[in-house]
Amino acid sequence: MKKLLGLATIFLLLSFTVKDSRLDNTRVYLATESTLTISGTSNINAFQCLFNTEKIAAPIPLRFTKIGNTHFFKEATLLLDNDGFNCGSRFINKDFHSLLQSKKYPTIQLELKKLAPIENTRKTLNALVEIQIAEHTNAYQIPVSYTKSKKLGVSGELALSLGDFKLKAPKKALGLIVVHDTIRINFDLKLNMDTVSR
């Protein structure tokens, strides 16, 4: 009898795990009203580079496993063409692309690895994201807020160091104008979801 109960318990645990951790396939479409900016400061002023989200017209595939309340992503990559950023003037654009080494590395890659709830918060998740700029990749934990209406809204902010990616901030006017090491990525994304049949 004990053996039978033990086997039944194991079977129930296994069936729960398999059901809860199945691999789901989804496609995400980025709405044109989405915004994504990279901003920074120098010792004399600030700059902001806005990404043209119309450049991301194709659906973004997502493959993930859900275990409990946490999503683990097998495929969730967003590629941003550096040419899609507009910093407001030709000279700042030139410096921006020089900083990112756009001729050699024309894209920034963001890969979502995990989404997990944050304790005692509502409509806020902790996202583990790997960011590749030039040839260097770093992982960051980013608190993100979300809203649900006709579209899923996801927003957040990340401050990172240029030194994390071995990037050298440009100096102008014989070194009198210096760009600070910290830059910020702000995003407010509006998403349409489309579940893919398995």
Side-chain angles (χ1 to χ4, degrees):
M1 184 67 176
K2 286 183 179 179
K3 284 184 179 180
L4 184 60
L5 286 173
L7 287 171
T9 303
I10 291 169
F11 176 79
L12 286 171
L13 286 172
L14 284 173
S15 59
F16 173 81
T17 303
V18 170
K19 181 181 178 182
D20 200 43
S21 64
R22 71 181 188 274
L23 190 65
D24 285 316
N25 295 302
T26 302
R27 288 179 300 207
V28 172
Y29 297 84
L30 195 64
T32 53
E33 62 265 33
S34 300
T35 59
L36 190 151
T37 60
I38 293 179
S39 58
T41 59
S42 72
N43 57 333
I44 62 167
N45 61 14
F47 66 89
Q48 185 179 77
C49 303
L50 177 65
F51 186 76
N52 178 10
T53 53
E54 291 183 2
K55 282 185 166 286
I56 309 176
I60 304 162
L62 301 180
R63 297 177 71 236
F64 62 88
T65 299
K66 184 181 178 185
I67 301 177
N69 292 321
T70 301
H71 293 74
F72 297 89
F73 291 83
K74 307 288 185 184
E75 181 183 351
T77 302
L78 179 61
L79 283 177
L80 304 176
D81 287 331
N82 293 353
D83 285 343
F85 286 97
N86 185 349
C87 304
S89 81
R90 182 166 57 89
F91 299 105
I92 300 177
N93 285 344
K94 183 179 178 181
D95 288 343
F96 179 77
H97 289 296
S98 175
L99 170 67
L100 297 182
Q101 305 172 46
S102 293
K103 287 185 179 179
K104 190 174 181 181
Y105 307 103
T107 61
I108 295 173
Q109 178 175 298
L110 297 92
E111 184 173 358
L112 178 61
K113 306 299 287 186
K114 185 171 74 171
L115 273 177
I118 300 175
E119 271 191 59
N120 303 318
T121 61
R122 295 183 63 191
K123 295 189 175 180
T124 306
L125 299 170
N126 198 36
L128 175 62
V129 179
E130 287 187 354
I131 301 176
Q132 182 179 352
I133 301 176
E135 58 182 338
H136 299 282
T137 303
N138 293 288
Y140 298 92
Q141 300 277 357
I142 310 173
V144 296
S145 302
Y146 69 93
T147 56
K148 288 182 179 179
S149 55
K150 291 183 179 179
K151 296 182 178 73
L152 175 65
V154 181
S155 60
E157 177 183 284
L158 171 66
L160 53 83
S161 167
L162 295 175
D164 290 348
F165 300 92
K166 312 299 184 204
L167 300 175
K168 293 184 179 179
K171 295 182 180 181
K172 295 294 181 182
L174 300 176
L176 296 176
I177 303 173
V178 181
V179 174
H180 297 147
D181 181 67
T182 299
I183 61 171
R184 295 184 180 276
I185 298 176
N186 288 83
F187 56 91
D188 184 6
L189 308 180
K190 307 300 181 187
L191 308 170
N192 291 311
M193 312 289 285
D194 179 18
T195 301
V196 180
S197 299
R198 287 186 296 274

